[in-house]
Amino acid sequence: MSSDPAPTPTDAELARADAHSARNYHPLPVVLETASGAWARGVDGIDYLDMLAGYSALNFGHRHPRLVGAVERQLGRLTLTSRAFQHSVFADFCEAVSGLCGKDAVLPMNTGAEAVETALKLARRWGYDVKGVEPDRAEIITFDGNFHGRTIAIVGFSTDPDAHDGFGPYPPGFRTVPYGDIAAVAAAVTANTVAILLEPIQGEAGVLVPPDGFLAAVRALCDEHGILMLADEIQSGLGRTGETFACDHEQVVPDVYILGKALGGGILPVSVVAADWSVMGVIGPGQHGSTFGGNPLACVVGTEVVRMLESGEFQRRSRELGEYMHSLLAALPVAAVAQVRGRGLWAGVELAAGQPSARIICERLLARRVLAKDAHEGTIRLAPPLVIERGEIAWAVEQLADSLREER
Ligand SMILES: *Cc1c(COP(=O)(O)O)cnc(C)c1O
């Protein structure tokens, strides 16, 4: 290939982007041009099955007609007011999303990281105004292996050296404990603890499912000590695990839901924090906001996402097809796989010691027309759009099995 004087369209595009784009990502060598449902086509003219779905931002697949339709209609009407003025699709969105969460109210932002920051601010403010913590003493408990985004505060409590190192000084007030270890959580609680921030399943850490009963135990601990449970369902929520929220698997209701990714239908960044007035009420005018948060396009897409989840069809697909996918993954070559984790249409396939890196397996998958991404060195993350068909899942897992069998 490298001796070929004429670069392929893919190579040419990659080189052009590399010349002028910061190197904060190391994308797989593919350049996508169009997409529909679970499939995306590259500038190479090849159709790829998308088994990543934008890290769960594309739960409903690429360009779902209901979502594209909602945005197209709104594009011809009104696109931005800022929150200085109310617009006519704002109430629908707030009502729909808070209803989905069973909460009184939402605070709309754009990206996931912004929503996490919002939840942290909300929890601190609640700690001072309601719980009565001394000024600037609030503590929030977080977990090893967490991923909540990329802001200074958030990477400050990341335990991933790539994400964390070299960006300090970091805001204080966070205590990090081992994920899934309820005794460690309990030991970290002080009179100043205002919140516990967790992913009900840790996505970026490699789709780590906590021990059974952990979420319920965190809930009980929060109730006992007057602590807010903040569930970051940005990746795990909105159908991904076979339920609307991953917390539903333990019938746990957090005080605050943090949503993003799929809430924007794969079209726009749309995120929210959802909570009851007893918590949300602590934020008043001027104390938090976002120019684009809750904009009309975001609102129509988010509202449509909620409508699509109302029938339970997507959650059921994720549950049933997820069981099927996990049954196929359980039959992967045993020598190559250390563990398969996950729930619903979400899996982390951890490779056995001595295997090629997950990155190399993902490159082999790409050559076999399957898009997947490593989550940390040793784990391949599979999170296909919930519109994927049975046969497509079978084919993708077959490609994975063949990729694992390939000679080095
Ligand atoms: C992706 C993700 C975020 C950050 O979302 P961005 O939109 O990339 O800022 C936060 N938390 C979790 C669990 C995520 O998966």
Side-chain angles (χ1 to χ4, degrees), residues 4 24 77 88 99 138 163-164 172 221 278 306 310 315 320 322 327 338 356:
D4 189 343
N24 58 328
R77 292 164 59 85
S88 63
H164 172 277
L221 195 72
S278 56
V306 174
E310 270 164 3
Q315 294 90 325
E320 293 174 4
S327 75

Side-chain angles (χ1 to χ4, degrees), residues 55 111-114 116 147-149 199 204 232 234-235 261:
Y55 304 97
T111 65
E114 287 175 304
V116 171
F147 182 83
H148 298 287
E199 297 158 86
E204 299 309 300
D232 179 348
I234 290 169
Q235 194 167 158
K261 292 204 165 103

Side-chain angles (χ1 to χ4, degrees), residues 94 98 102-106 275-278:
C94 297
S98 56
K103 296 294 183 191
D104 292 339
V106 294
D276 283 335
W277 282 124
S278 56

Side-chain angles (χ1 to χ4, degrees), residues 25 54-57 110-116 146-151 154 197-204 231-236 258-261 269-271 346 381:
Y25 280 88
Y55 304 97
S56 286
N110 310 283
T111 65
E114 287 175 304
V116 171
N146 71 72
F147 182 83
H148 298 287
R150 302 294 195 171
T151 64
I154 291 170
L197 170 66
L198 59 72
E199 297 158 86
I201 292 179
Q202 286 191 330
E204 299 309 300
D232 179 348
E233 293 256 16
I234 290 169
Q235 194 167 158
S236 59
I258 308 169
L259 303 180
K261 292 204 165 103
V270 183
S271 65
W346 201 16
R381 173 212 336 246

Side-chain angles (χ1 to χ4, degrees), residues 17-235:
D18 208 42
H20 298 290
S21 153
R23 311 272 162 81
N24 58 328
Y25 280 88
H26 177 34
L28 287 155
V30 63
V31 179
L32 303 173
E33 191 166 44
T34 59
S36 176
W39 292 85
R41 180 171 298 176
V43 294
D44 50 14
I46 295 173
D47 287 324
Y48 296 90
L49 180 60
D50 187 351
M51 292 293 286
L52 177 65
Y55 304 97
S56 286
L58 289 157
N59 278 5
F60 308 98
H62 293 269
R63 297 189 309 109
H64 193 288
R66 283 182 65 173
L67 299 170
V68 169
V71 173
E72 279 178 348
R73 279 192 301 280
Q74 190 60 35
L75 263 176
R77 292 164 59 85
L78 179 72
T79 59
L80 192 74
T81 59
S82 83
R83 293 289 305 282
F85 315 110
Q86 196 86 297
H87 62 74
S88 63
V89 290
F90 186 68
D92 284 345
F93 171 78
C94 297
E95 212 172 78
V97 181
S98 56
L100 183 80
C101 296
K103 296 294 183 191
D104 292 339
V106 294
L107 196 163
M109 297 295 286
N110 310 283
T111 65
E114 287 175 304
V116 171
E117 286 274 347
T118 303
L120 298 175
K121 286 177 67 176
L122 193 61
R124 283 181 169 186
R125 195 59 186 258
W126 173 88
Y128 301 127
D129 291 4
V130 179
K131 184 164 175 164
V133 172
E134 292 294 309
D136 296 342
R137 301 293 295 276
E139 290 170 10
I140 295 174
I141 296 174
T142 64
F143 292 93
D144 285 348
N146 71 72
F147 182 83
H148 298 287
R150 302 294 195 171
T151 64
I152 294 275
I154 291 170
V155 302
F157 56 78
S158 170
T159 57
D160 173 355
D162 285 340
H164 172 277
D165 292 355
F167 300 111
Y170 307 108
F174 299 96
R175 301 183 63 151
T176 301
V177 301
Y179 188 63
D181 183 345
I182 192 66
V185 184
V189 169
T190 73
N192 293 330
T193 305
V194 296
I196 298 174
L197 170 66
L198 59 72
E199 297 158 86
I201 292 179
Q202 286 191 330
E204 299 309 300
V207 195
L208 296 185
V209 182
D212 277 345
F214 178 66
L215 301 178
V218 169
R219 176 70 274 176
L221 195 72
C222 287
D223 290 340
E224 187 187 338
H225 295 277
I227 296 169
L228 297 180
M229 179 176 182
L230 317 178
D232 179 348
E233 293 256 16
I234 290 169
Q235 194 167 158

